[in-house]
Amino acid sequence: MHTSALVLFSGGQDSTTCLAYALERYQRVETVAFDYGQRHHVELAARQSVLRELRHQFPRWSSALDEDHLLDLSVLGAVSETALTRDTAFKMEANGLPNTFVPGRNLLFLTLSAALAYRRGLQVLVTGVCETDFSGYPDCRDDTMKAMQLALSLGMDQRFLIETPLMWIDKAATWDMARRLGDASGEPGGGQKMVDLIVEHTHTCYLGDRSQRHAWGYGCGTCPACLLRAKGYSAFSDSLNKGDTGAAPSGA
Ligand code: ZN
């Protein structure tokens, strides 16, 4: 029986939903993020607001939420030139991958997370990777995760479970999962609170724009991450308005 988890938590919508998932499921949850010279430290600031709001708005989860870790991975900026580590415009490359692709990034993240989990006595790694939407990053694929789980478990001689609650769902379903987790928390109005928290405090925009507030949150509104988030929110709101779930969407 697993009782503790380490969540790879960047401060975006997906990893925040994964954090709620872990808090609802495990008695002790720690979080980790990596500072690799992201163009926008706004993401690292967002994660602090999310942690603060989760503690404040969801007292039951708060008791499970343990230490937060930030690991310096600036070496990634030295070995790879991408739109996430350099000040270049977003575009698709000839190989069909966006130029935000940092080769091996998730493999490094998982390896370091497992090393940290080993030291902290945590059994499960939770990550928001997803095969369904948009990017096709090869290090987010289900097969890659299964291979990593095996490699890490063998290489550290300790059985790690890698959980990927978002692997097969789209962004509309990710919004809905957050709402359901909020409800499951037992907090009055928890579903709506969780959706509002994601809208207000998480950050996914590639350009680091927090000057424009949309129904779905802050962002430039035109980069691929914003478009995906907006499209998912719109489908989620529509399904709520049709009465599929009986609740009203936030800020729409
Ligand atoms: Zn954007």
Side-chain angles (χ1 to χ4, degrees), residues 27 50 77 116 125 200 223:
Q27 292 158 24
V50 171
L116 182 62
L125 305 176
E200 204 58 43
C223 77

Side-chain angles (χ1 to χ4, degrees), residues 6 15 28 35 77 81 93 119 135 142 183 202 220 226:
L6 178 64
S15 67
R28 183 165 67 97
D35 186 353
E81 182 142 341
E93 303 281 13
R119 174 167 70 79
S135 65
D142 191 49
D183 279 338
T202 67
C220 70
C226 281

Side-chain angles (χ1 to χ4, degrees), residues 203-209 214 216 218-227:
H203 185 86
T204 36
C205 173
Y206 281 146
L207 303 182
D209 187 336
H214 314 264
W216 45 265
Y218 292 89
C220 70
T222 53
C223 77
C226 281
L227 291 175

